[in-house]
């Protein structure tokens, strides 16, 4: 994995927070609480990035369900860090990975409003489905 890609997905601040949390764990005592805060913060922020990825994947998945052609997924804003193709979908990773965009094309315009509703709802529904499965599996 390229260094730029690694630090785009997991920025330096996350690594620093993780290192400080590990140091607090090694010290022990009352510092364990601070270590837990650091670990939870890093897990939360990494989970947000994973949620963005799942959300954008959901848009493209539902576009395919209703007859659209998934074209492109853009993760983040800023300058381009990496670009790849996966099953005909161009995936672009930008330097500030905190949001995303999903593009699909619809050749058949029959019932286009319903298709667009499914396409736009796909991100939320996929996130909801993943959250429900995690809730059932881990019983939070």
């Amino acid at each position: 994995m390229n260094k730029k890609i690694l630090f785009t997905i997991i920025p330096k601040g996350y690594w620093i927070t993780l290192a400080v949390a590990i140091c607090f764990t090694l010290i022990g005592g009352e510092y364990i609480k601070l270590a837990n805060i650091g670990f939870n913060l890093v897990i939360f922020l990494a989970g947000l990035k994973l949620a963005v990825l799942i959300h954008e994947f959901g848009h493209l998945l539902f576009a395919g369900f209703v007859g659209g052609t998934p074209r492109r997924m853009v993760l983040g804003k800023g300058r381009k860090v990496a670009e790849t193709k996966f099953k005909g979908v161009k995936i672009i990773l930008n330097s500030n990975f905190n949001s995303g965009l999903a593009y699909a094309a619809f050749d058949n315009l029959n019932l286009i409003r319903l298709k667009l509703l499914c396409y736009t709802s796909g991100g939320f529904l996929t996130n909801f489905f993943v959250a429900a499965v995690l809730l059932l599996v881990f019983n939070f």
Side-chain angles (χ1 to χ4, degrees):
M1 182 181 289
N2 189 349
K3 186 176 166 183
K4 284 183 181 179
I5 296 172
L6 179 66
F7 285 122
T8 298
I9 296 172
I10 306 170
K12 293 176 185 174
Y14 293 21
W15 292 106
I16 293 169
T17 305
L18 189 61
V20 169
I22 290 170
C23 290
F24 282 146
T25 301
L26 295 175
I27 294 171
E30 287 293 317
Y31 291 103
I32 295 292
K33 292 177 185 177
L34 291 174
N36 288 336
I37 291 171
F39 289 134
N40 286 327
L41 182 64
V42 170
I43 290 170
F44 173 74
L45 293 173
L48 284 177
K49 291 186 184 244
L50 183 61
V52 168
L53 182 66
I54 292 170
H55 181 86
E56 299 309 326
F57 173 74
H59 285 302
L60 297 179
L61 183 70
F62 274 70
F65 285 162
V66 295
T69 306
R71 298 277 190 210
R72 182 174 44 177
M73 181 188 315
V74 180
L75 300 171
K77 299 176 184 172
R79 57 183 164 67
K80 187 186 324 181
V81 174
E83 180 178 328
T84 187
K85 272 199 162 197
F86 180 74
K87 293 194 177 190
V89 177
K90 183 190 280 188
I91 301 172
I92 300 169
L93 178 64
N94 290 328
S95 60
N96 190 8
F97 177 27
N98 58 5
S99 63
L101 296 168
Y103 297 95
F106 294 93
D107 295 332
N108 184 1
L109 298 181
N110 191 21
L111 297 172
I112 190 65
R113 289 187 182 196
L114 183 60
K115 291 177 182 180
L116 289 175
L117 177 66
C118 290
Y119 166 60
T120 55
S121 300
F124 163 74
L125 292 174
T126 305
N127 277 35
F128 183 78
F129 177 74
V130 169
V133 167
L134 290 175
L135 182 66
L136 289 174
V137 170
F138 294 110
N139 197 18
F140 289 142

